[in-house]
């Protein structure tokens, strides 16, 4: 039905007229209920069945079904399930051990430093060991030393000396041998000046022992660096090593004469550390073909180390080679020195050599002794030095046989040494023995 004409004319005016705010009444409860009465809620219809909904409903299972499925999986694949659980357990254990290692060895190693210094050192070690950037590492080492000085740390403490040695080690690692030597030379002079100026004062006895021992170790390292082919300053190397050996022997004699106890002045260098200094000097003399000076040092190092370690096998090999290359007179003097030391008579050949043949025989006995010692060393004491020592000793026996004209014995020993070197992956030994076999008639 169409609206009356009067009503049609009035509608546009009503739509254009603003409605007063008071006429906007809020709906009341009654009006809402009335609205609901005229609009009853539609009954809920079941949702259409769709593949997506069916998939969702199928996955709505009680929590117990997860355990049941796991049990079923384990029963069907016991080996794979065990391997999976084992992998997870190993992974968790690895995480735990990594955290423990970090706590014990990384953080604990800085406990002796104030936190500002330790913070710089952690950055320095990161750029030294993890992400090698020498310039960044040196910057943080320098800042750590400056902070340590400002905080009043002892410049001759093990911690500060350790930082300087670490800097030298970094320079050596990147092949900057000159800078490594420079750092260690400054450290050597500073430590030596302190020992001379303050070491004899009352109350400094233990510190004197510690600083003097560090100075000896620095000199041994300097001898090694000066002797490198890139530097090869023999005189400087010999000077540092001679000072180190003389110092350890002089200090040991002083402590013996005065009956000094470790509780009073602190422990001196161990026999192994003293033997290392003597061995380093012996190698220096050996490179200069001064075997008459090298042999007594090898013997002294052997007497300090003992004859039941793999390194003693190496020392016996060095001694055998040194004896075979010196004059009979020097060899006789060396043998007399050996008999005056604490080396057992069963280890040292008894009769002093009087001829070239006797000298080579003496060297052969030391090589045989090296093989015998190595044969009686078992893991975990046995290490790579024993294996290399056996190969080298066998090669020496071939050389000694060749020196006296026994070609058949020389060839047999060389072939045996070649097999040993190949078995342990000793490439240097393989090359040397192969060259000798080619030259052998």
């Amino acid at each position: 039905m169409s609206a009356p004409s009067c009503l049609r004319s009035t509608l546009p005016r009503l739509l254009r007229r603003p409605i007063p705010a008071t006429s906007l009444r809020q709906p009341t409860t009654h009006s809402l209920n009335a609205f609901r009465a005229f609009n009853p809620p539609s009954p809920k219809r079941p949702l259409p069945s769709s593949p997506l909904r069916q998939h969702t409903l199928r996955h709505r299972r009680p929590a117990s079904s997860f355990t049941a499925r796991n049990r079923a999986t384990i029963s069907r694949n016991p080996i794979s399930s065990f391997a999976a659980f084992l992998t997870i357990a190993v992974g968790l254990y690895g995480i735990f051990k990594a955290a423990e290692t970090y706590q014990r060895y990384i953080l604990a190693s800085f406990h002796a430093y104030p936190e500002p210094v330790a913070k710089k050192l952690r950055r320095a070690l990161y750029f030294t060991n993890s992400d090698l950037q020498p310039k960044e590492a040196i910057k943080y080492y320098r800042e750590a030393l400056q902070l340590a000085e400002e905080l009043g740390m002892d410049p001759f403490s093990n911690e500060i000396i350790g930082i300087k040695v670490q800097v030298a080690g970094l320079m050596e690692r990147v092949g900057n041998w000159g800078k490594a030597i420079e750092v260690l030379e400054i450290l050597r002079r500073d430590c030596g000046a302190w020992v001379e100026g303050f070491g004899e004062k009352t109350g400094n006895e233990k510190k004197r022992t510690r600083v003097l021992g560090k100075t000896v170790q620095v000199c041994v390292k300097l001898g090694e660096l000066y002797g490198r082919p890139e530097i090869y300053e023999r005189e400087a190397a010999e000077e540092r090593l001679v000072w180190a050996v003389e110092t350890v022997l002089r200090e040991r004699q002083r402590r013996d004469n005065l009956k000094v106890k470790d509780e009073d002045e602190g422990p001196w260098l161990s026999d192994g550390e003293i033997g290392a200094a003597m061995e380093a000097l012996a190698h220096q003399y050996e490179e200069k073909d001064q075997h008459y000076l090298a042999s007594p040092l090898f013997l002294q190092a052997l007497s300090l180390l003992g004859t039941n370690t793999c390194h003693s096998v190496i020392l016996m090999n060095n001694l055998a080679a040194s004896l075979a290359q010196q004059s009979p007179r020097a060899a006789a003097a060396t043998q007399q020195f050996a008999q005056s030391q604490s080396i057992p008579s069963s280890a040292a050949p008894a009769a002093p050599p009087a001829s070239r043949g006797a000298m080579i025989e003496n060297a052969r006995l030391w090589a045989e002794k090296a093989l015998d010692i190595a044969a009686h060393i078992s893991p975990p004491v046995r290490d790579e030095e024993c294996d290399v020592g056996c190969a080298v000793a066998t090669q020496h026996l071939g050389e000694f046989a060749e020196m006296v004209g026994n070609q058949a014995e020389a060839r047999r020993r060389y072939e045996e040494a070649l097999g040993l070197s190949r078995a342990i992956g000793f490439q240097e030994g393989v090359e040397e023995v192969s060259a000798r076999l080619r030259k052998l008639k």
Side-chain angles (χ1 to χ4, degrees), residues 404-424:
V404 298
N406 191 342
Q407 302 293 323
E409 176 67 11
R411 180 176 295 278
R412 186 180 72 84
R413 290 293 188 177
Y414 285 150
E415 290 176 350
E416 183 180 354
L418 182 61
L420 288 173
S421 298
R422 285 175 175 169
I424 63 176

Side-chain angles (χ1 to χ4, degrees), residues 188-209:
R188 179 189 68 84
R189 288 195 296 267
D190 291 345
C191 290
W194 186 92
V195 171
E196 292 181 3
F198 303 94
E200 300 299 330
K201 291 187 176 181
T202 303
N204 286 343
E205 293 84 2
K206 291 185 177 180
K207 185 175 180 179
R208 173 190 174 276
T209 300

Side-chain angles (χ1 to χ4, degrees), residues 124-138 141 165-181 183 221 225 228 230-231:
L125 290 178
Y126 173 79
F127 288 115
T128 300
N129 299 326
S130 300
D131 182 14
L132 184 59
Q133 297 186 34
K135 291 184 179 180
E136 290 294 316
I138 291 298
Y141 281 128
V165 171
Q166 184 72 19
V167 171
L170 174 61
M171 294 295 98
E172 181 184 5
R173 181 179 176 184
V174 299
N176 195 341
W177 316 109
K179 183 62 68 173
I181 289 174
V183 172
K221 185 61 180 180
L225 292 176
R228 290 193 62 88
E230 297 84 355
I231 304 297

